[in-house]
Amino acid sequence: MVKLTLPAMAVADTQTQTPAGLLVVPGFQIPPRDVWVDEVLVQRLVLAARDAAERAYAPFSQFRVGAAALMDNDPKHTMFTGANVENSSYGGTICAERTALTAAASAGFRRLRYLAVCVRDALTAPLCDRSPCGLCRQFMRQFCDPQATNPSLIFIADGQPGVLGQVLDIERLLPWGFRFAK
Ligand code: THU
Protein backbone atom coordinates (compact mmCIF):
# COMPACT_ATOMS: atom_id res chain seq x y z
CA MET A 1 0.00 0.00 0.00
CA VAL A 2 1.15 3.51 -0.75
CA LYS A 3 -0.15 6.84 0.45
CA LEU A 4 -0.96 9.49 -2.15
CA THR A 5 -2.16 13.04 -1.71
CA LEU A 6 -4.81 14.15 -4.13
CA PRO A 7 -4.21 17.86 -4.68
CA ALA A 8 -6.32 20.72 -3.40
CA MET A 9 -8.27 22.60 -6.01
CA ALA A 10 -8.86 25.86 -4.26
CA VAL A 11 -9.61 28.99 -6.23
CA ALA A 12 -11.93 31.76 -5.08
CA ASP A 13 -15.09 32.80 -6.91
CA THR A 14 -14.93 35.94 -8.98
CA GLN A 15 -17.92 38.14 -9.57
CA THR A 16 -18.31 40.79 -12.24
CA GLN A 17 -21.20 43.19 -12.29
CA THR A 18 -22.57 43.73 -15.79
CA PRO A 19 -25.57 45.79 -16.95
CA ALA A 20 -27.41 42.50 -17.52
CA GLY A 21 -26.64 41.14 -14.03
CA LEU A 22 -23.86 39.59 -12.02
CA LEU A 23 -21.58 37.14 -13.79
CA VAL A 24 -20.11 34.61 -11.40
CA VAL A 25 -17.06 32.51 -12.18
CA PRO A 26 -17.34 29.72 -9.64
CA GLY A 27 -14.14 28.80 -7.86
CA PHE A 28 -13.18 25.43 -6.47
CA GLN A 29 -12.98 24.51 -2.82
CA ILE A 30 -11.73 20.95 -2.89
CA PRO A 31 -9.33 20.27 -0.01
CA PRO A 32 -6.30 17.99 -0.46
CA ARG A 33 -6.96 14.39 0.35
CA ASP A 34 -4.70 11.56 1.52
CA VAL A 35 -5.62 8.19 0.10
CA TRP A 36 -4.16 4.74 0.50
CA VAL A 37 -3.70 2.79 -2.70
CA ASP A 38 -3.04 -0.91 -3.14
CA GLU A 39 -0.67 -0.66 -6.09
CA VAL A 40 -0.63 -4.42 -6.73
CA LEU A 41 -4.40 -4.44 -7.03
CA VAL A 42 -4.28 -1.39 -9.29
CA GLN A 43 -1.73 -3.08 -11.52
CA ARG A 44 -3.98 -6.12 -11.81
CA LEU A 45 -6.96 -3.93 -12.65
CA VAL A 46 -4.99 -2.01 -15.28
CA LEU A 47 -3.92 -5.30 -16.87
CA ALA A 48 -7.53 -6.53 -16.80
CA ALA A 49 -8.65 -3.26 -18.45
CA ARG A 50 -5.94 -3.60 -21.09
CA ASP A 51 -7.00 -7.15 -21.78
CA ALA A 52 -10.66 -6.09 -22.01
CA ALA A 53 -9.72 -3.46 -24.59
CA GLU A 54 -8.63 -6.30 -26.89
CA ARG A 55 -12.25 -7.43 -26.98
CA ALA A 56 -13.72 -4.00 -27.78
CA TYR A 57 -16.19 -3.91 -30.64
CA ALA A 58 -15.16 -0.71 -32.41
CA PRO A 59 -15.71 -1.18 -36.16
CA PHE A 60 -16.44 2.54 -36.65
CA SER A 61 -13.81 4.36 -34.63
CA GLN A 62 -11.23 1.58 -34.29
CA PHE A 63 -10.62 3.18 -30.88
CA ARG A 64 -10.51 0.33 -28.39
CA VAL A 65 -11.00 0.94 -24.70
CA GLY A 66 -11.18 -1.43 -21.73
CA ALA A 67 -12.18 -0.88 -18.13
CA ALA A 68 -12.06 -2.91 -14.95
CA ALA A 69 -13.96 -2.12 -11.77
CA LEU A 70 -13.52 -3.37 -8.24
CA MET A 71 -16.48 -2.67 -5.98
CA ASP A 72 -16.68 -2.04 -2.24
CA ASN A 73 -18.24 -4.76 -0.10
CA ASP A 74 -17.56 -7.46 -2.64
CA PRO A 75 -16.26 -10.42 -0.63
CA LYS A 76 -15.10 -12.11 -3.84
CA HIS A 77 -13.13 -9.06 -5.07
CA THR A 78 -14.54 -9.55 -8.56
CA MET A 79 -12.93 -7.57 -11.35
CA PHE A 80 -15.86 -6.43 -13.47
CA THR A 81 -14.50 -5.74 -16.92
CA GLY A 82 -15.95 -4.09 -19.98
CA ALA A 83 -15.04 -2.72 -23.37
CA ASN A 84 -16.61 -0.19 -25.70
CA VAL A 85 -19.30 -1.63 -27.93
CA GLU A 86 -20.19 0.49 -30.94
CA ASN A 87 -23.40 0.55 -32.92
CA SER A 88 -24.22 1.60 -36.47
CA SER A 89 -26.64 4.14 -35.01
CA TYR A 90 -23.55 5.68 -33.35
CA GLY A 91 -25.64 7.00 -30.45
CA GLY A 92 -26.21 3.42 -29.36
CA THR A 93 -22.51 3.04 -28.62
CA ILE A 94 -21.54 2.34 -25.02
CA CYS A 95 -18.14 3.17 -23.57
CA ALA A 96 -15.92 0.69 -21.75
CA GLU A 97 -16.35 2.41 -18.38
CA ARG A 98 -20.12 2.14 -18.49
CA THR A 99 -19.98 -1.45 -19.71
CA ALA A 100 -17.85 -2.40 -16.69
CA LEU A 101 -19.95 -0.39 -14.24
CA THR A 102 -23.26 -1.73 -15.53
CA ALA A 103 -21.89 -5.26 -15.03
CA ALA A 104 -20.92 -4.38 -11.45
CA ALA A 105 -24.20 -2.63 -10.67
CA SER A 106 -26.19 -5.47 -12.24
CA ALA A 107 -24.39 -7.86 -9.92
CA GLY A 108 -25.78 -5.82 -7.04
CA PHE A 109 -22.83 -3.60 -6.14
CA ARG A 110 -23.40 0.09 -5.59
CA ARG A 111 -20.11 1.61 -4.55
CA LEU A 112 -16.96 1.80 -6.60
CA ARG A 113 -13.58 1.14 -4.99
CA TYR A 114 -11.23 1.29 -8.00
CA LEU A 115 -11.89 1.73 -11.70
CA ALA A 116 -9.08 1.31 -14.21
CA VAL A 117 -9.46 2.58 -17.76
CA CYS A 118 -7.12 1.63 -20.55
CA VAL A 119 -7.10 2.61 -24.22
CA ARG A 120 -5.48 0.00 -26.41
CA ASP A 121 -3.57 2.09 -28.94
CA ALA A 122 -3.14 5.61 -27.55
CA LEU A 123 -1.50 4.70 -24.27
CA THR A 124 1.23 7.31 -24.51
CA ALA A 125 -1.05 10.09 -25.74
CA PRO A 126 -1.85 13.15 -23.59
CA LEU A 127 -4.24 12.51 -20.71
CA CYS A 128 -7.22 14.03 -22.55
CA ASP A 129 -6.86 11.39 -25.27
CA ARG A 130 -7.05 8.57 -22.70
CA SER A 131 -9.54 10.02 -20.23
CA PRO A 132 -13.14 9.00 -19.61
CA CYS A 133 -15.73 11.00 -21.53
CA GLY A 134 -18.14 13.33 -19.75
CA LEU A 135 -21.02 10.90 -19.86
CA CYS A 136 -18.89 8.19 -18.24
CA ARG A 137 -17.74 10.61 -15.54
CA GLN A 138 -21.33 11.36 -14.64
CA PHE A 139 -22.14 7.66 -14.74
CA MET A 140 -19.21 6.88 -12.42
CA ARG A 141 -20.33 9.60 -10.07
CA GLN A 142 -23.45 7.60 -9.30
CA PHE A 143 -21.30 4.89 -7.72
CA CYS A 144 -18.77 7.14 -5.99
CA ASP A 145 -19.21 8.51 -2.49
CA PRO A 146 -17.07 11.65 -2.17
CA GLN A 147 -17.69 11.74 1.62
CA ALA A 148 -16.39 8.22 2.24
CA THR A 149 -13.22 7.78 4.29
CA ASN A 150 -11.66 5.81 1.48
CA PRO A 151 -12.84 7.48 -1.72
CA SER A 152 -13.53 5.68 -4.98
CA LEU A 153 -10.52 6.11 -7.23
CA ILE A 154 -10.12 6.17 -10.99
CA PHE A 155 -6.90 5.06 -12.65
CA ILE A 156 -6.14 6.02 -16.23
CA ALA A 157 -3.54 3.69 -17.72
CA ASP A 158 -0.41 5.33 -19.13
CA GLY A 159 1.90 3.55 -21.53
CA GLN A 160 5.07 5.49 -20.74
CA PRO A 161 7.79 3.09 -19.57
CA GLY A 162 7.47 2.43 -15.86
CA VAL A 163 4.28 4.48 -15.49
CA LEU A 164 1.17 2.71 -14.22
CA GLY A 165 -1.24 5.57 -14.70
CA GLN A 166 -2.89 8.75 -13.47
CA VAL A 167 -4.99 8.68 -10.28
CA LEU A 168 -8.05 10.83 -9.66
CA ASP A 169 -11.15 10.81 -7.53
CA ILE A 170 -14.51 11.81 -8.94
CA GLU A 171 -14.38 15.31 -7.46
CA ARG A 172 -11.23 16.07 -9.41
CA LEU A 173 -12.39 14.24 -12.52
CA LEU A 174 -15.82 15.86 -12.56
CA PRO A 175 -15.82 18.96 -10.35
CA TRP A 176 -19.32 20.19 -11.23
CA GLY A 177 -21.00 16.85 -11.82
CA PHE A 178 -24.77 16.75 -11.56
CA ARG A 179 -26.32 15.75 -8.27
CA PHE A 180 -30.00 14.87 -8.02
CA ALA A 181 -30.79 16.31 -4.61
CA LYS A 182 -34.01 14.68 -3.40
N1 THU B 1 -14.88 5.53 -25.57
C1 THU B 1 -14.85 4.79 -24.42
O1 THU B 1 -15.04 3.56 -24.45
N2 THU B 1 -14.62 5.44 -23.26
C2 THU B 1 -14.46 6.77 -23.15
O2 THU B 1 -14.47 7.32 -22.05
C3 THU B 1 -14.22 7.56 -24.36
C4 THU B 1 -14.70 6.95 -25.61
C5 THU B 1 -15.17 4.84 -26.83
C6 THU B 1 -16.52 5.17 -27.40
C7 THU B 1 -16.29 4.94 -28.87
O3 THU B 1 -16.56 3.57 -29.14
C8 THU B 1 -14.82 5.20 -29.08
O4 THU B 1 -14.22 5.20 -27.80
C9 THU B 1 -14.51 6.52 -29.77
O5 THU B 1 -15.14 7.57 -29.14
Side-chain angles (χ1 to χ4, degrees):
M1 295 280 269
V2 290
K3 191 170 91 167
L4 306 177
T5 303
L6 305 180
M9 292 172 75
V11 182
D13 286 0
T14 63
Q15 302 194 346
T16 304
Q17 192 65 62
T18 79
L22 196 64
L23 278 175
V24 180
V25 178
F28 293 105
Q29 297 300 333
I30 304 175
R33 179 159 218 186
D34 290 339
V35 292
W36 285 93
V37 172
D38 184 333
E39 73 279 13
V40 177
L41 207 47
V42 172
Q43 187 179 39
R44 284 177 48 210
L45 275 178
V46 168
L47 289 174
R50 184 171 302 183
D51 182 55
E54 296 293 335
R55 293 184 294 280
Y57 176 65
F60 303 105
S61 71
Q62 312 295 333
F63 190 76
R64 293 175 174 80
V65 189
L70 186 79
M71 306 303 283
D72 258 352
N73 304 317
D74 177 5
K76 292 186 182 160
H77 307 295
T78 314
M79 286 198 278
F80 293 96
T81 60
N84 54 325
V85 179
E86 297 186 347
N87 189 270
S88 51
S89 74
Y90 287 25
T93 293
I94 183 164
C95 294
E97 297 89 324
R98 279 176 288 140
T99 311
L101 282 172
T102 47
S106 307
F109 298 103
R110 299 290 180 255
R111 189 168 180 278
L112 179 67
R113 177 83 199 89
Y114 292 157
L115 177 74
V117 183
C118 183
V119 298
R120 195 190 75 165
D121 300 318
L123 264 175
T124 55
L127 187 55
C128 283
D129 302 332
R130 299 179 278 117
S131 288
C133 75
L135 178 51
C136 286
R137 294 176 196 208
Q138 182 66 40
F139 199 89
M140 286 172 202
R141 194 187 188 289
Q142 198 69 34
F143 302 106
C144 294
D145 177 4
Q147 312 304 331
T149 322
N150 229 348
S152 311
L153 294 175
I154 297 111
F155 299 87
I156 302 171
D158 186 321
Q160 308 281 345
V163 183
L164 192 51
Q166 282 73 31
V167 188
L168 295 120
D169 66 356
I170 197 65
E171 281 188 285
R172 286 156 186 83
L173 190 61
L174 184 68
W176 295 107
F178 177 65
R179 185 169 61 189
F180 185 49
K182 285 171 279 172

